[in-house]
Every structure is written in structure tokens, then in C-alpha cells.
Amino acid sequence: MKILLTGHTGMVGRNILEHPSAANYIFLKPSRSEVNLEHKNEVLNYMKKHQPDLVIHAAGMVGGIQANMANPVDFLIKNLDIGRNVIMAAKAAEVPTFINLSSSCMYPREAKNPLKESYILKGELEPTNEGYALAKIVATRLCEYITKTHEGYKYSTIIPCNLYGRYDKFSPKNSHMIPAVIKKIHDAEKNRLPAVEIWGDGKARREFMYAQDLADFIFYAITHLDKLPQNINVGLGTDWTINEYYQTIANVVGYKGEFIHDTSKPVGMKQKLIDDTLLNSFGWKSKTSLKEGIKKTYDFYKNVVLND
């Protein structure tokens, strides 16, 4: 099988390519200089020339709460353009199967947890990442429409919970919570700071999965494409408080200081836990515990990122 992987230099893409099962497939992984995903004709020409059997769409502009709040226009427009261009080019090139990677940010801010796939577009979005979420919703709906109206096309969407792991971004300005906290606590330990600040009261709950587990799911899905649902949540089905994440990371790093809370800062949704009913029926479960995943991610930060 020949697979076009967009976003191959990102965290998800690199974890896919590092997975042992990647050796069983031919991967097309064009650089930005070969094809700019924001340019419709470049994407279409590449797709028609190389004729992949499957597209895994993992490209996009990503970031944490600070980045989303600072750049809502880019998070909406860039992700909207990229998603539309890749999906429609695949259809025009008659690529029969497509795996679209979306985000649990699509779910309404007041939706009841755990979040079911049927909740998409059933309420107001979380304002702190609304632009990103809108772009992901459009791509998800587009895949649904193509599958429903064009015989022989199966374009499915994977909705991962929050992710972390090897090749993550560790900059507080554009990273997600876990890598940002790893850097923050590492620096606090290195500089012998007595306390580390947590935004909000730390009681908001989040579900984070190790990125290599998502890669494992994707290869499982490839071998079970006939049974892959139209939209499917992929996560742990369990969550922890922000305070618990900070404490687990502190334990791994060896930091003994205190935590102080700044309740004036935004925290986003109070809880974001995916419903894993469809995932369990599909027959897959994640393998990496929180402590194990954080330890592997911290080892990557110390041994690779800091030595770059």
C-alpha cells in the first residue's frame, strides 16, 4: 500500500514513521518545498502524479491555549485551507481511502462528558480555540459528505484526545500543556526555584495520550479499514486534573517545590474526556501509562531537545 502522509515532520507524523509497522508500507512524505498544502493546485498535481492508495492527513497548525488565543485567524484559515485542499485533491485524484486526523476541540464547551462522536455541532465551541475547532469541523464534515455521496470512497475521521510525546514542542508559547509543564518544571528544578505557577485552580480535567499510542491505533485502523467508523474518538477513556499532571511530572523530574495557583488566568473547558464506546467496539486500547509516557517524553526532552 502506498500512503501519502501529510505533516510527516510533526509530532504525530514522526511517531507514525517511527512505528515498527511503518516498514510494511510505502510512505510518500513530501516536504513543504515539494508541495505547499496551502496551495490547492500544488496539492492536486502532487496527488494526481503519485496516486496514493491512502491519505493520512496529519498536517496543520497546532498549539496550546496561548497560541490559539494569540493567533485565531491563522488557526482558522491555515487549517481550513490545508484540510480542504488535501481532502478535495484526494477525491479528485480518486484516492479511495482517507484518514483525517481531527481534534476533541471540536466538541461543544458545555457538552456532557464523556464526549460522544454524535455531539459534534451540538453546541457553542470553547472560545479559546474556536478557530482551530471550526477548521477541524469543516474537514470532518467534508469527509462525511464524500463518503455518503460517492460510492467507493471511505473518508474517515479520527478524533484523538490531547496528545504528548516524542517530537513534541516544548515552547510555552506554542506547546500543549504536558510539554510546556515538563520544560517549566525542569527549569524550576535546574534553577532551584521554590515554587511553580499553575494557571487556574488546577481542578480542570484533561485526557492526554502518548503519541506513539495514536500511531499504533492508526496502523490498527489501516488493517481494519472496512470496520473503521466514520468518526471515532481515540483516547484513554480516563482523565486527570491539571494538578495531578503537574505532580506526576514533578515526580518524574524530581522537583520538590510547591505549586501556586493564578486563578486570574484562563483554563479552557472544565473537562474534556472522550467517550471510548466506539473505540472499544473497534477492538483497540492504548498501552502506555501516564507515568511511563511522561518519563519517555522527559527523556526525549533531556537527551534530544536540550542537546540540539
Side-chain angles (χ1 to χ4, degrees), residues 113 162 177 201-208 238-245 267-273:
N113 281 260
N162 295 313
M177 186 194 75
D201 61 9
K203 295 179 181 178
R205 304 187 69 86
R206 290 293 182 270
E207 177 183 14
F208 274 89
T238 187
D239 59 6
W240 292 271
T241 67
I242 302 299
N243 287 330
E244 288 171 323
Y245 283 112
V267 296
M269 296 168 69
K270 291 181 180 179
Q271 185 181 26
K272 197 165 64 171
L273 172 67

Side-chain angles (χ1 to χ4, degrees), residues 102-105 107 158-164 206-210 214 232-238 245 272-274:
S102 192
S103 167
S104 57
C105 294
Y107 288 118
I158 293 171
I159 309 170
C161 65
N162 295 313
L163 301 170
Y164 71 99
R206 290 293 182 270
E207 177 183 14
F208 274 89
M209 182 172 69
Y210 190 56
L214 177 62
I232 183 169
N233 287 328
V234 180
L236 312 175
T238 187
Y245 283 112
K272 197 165 64 171
L273 172 67
I274 61 102

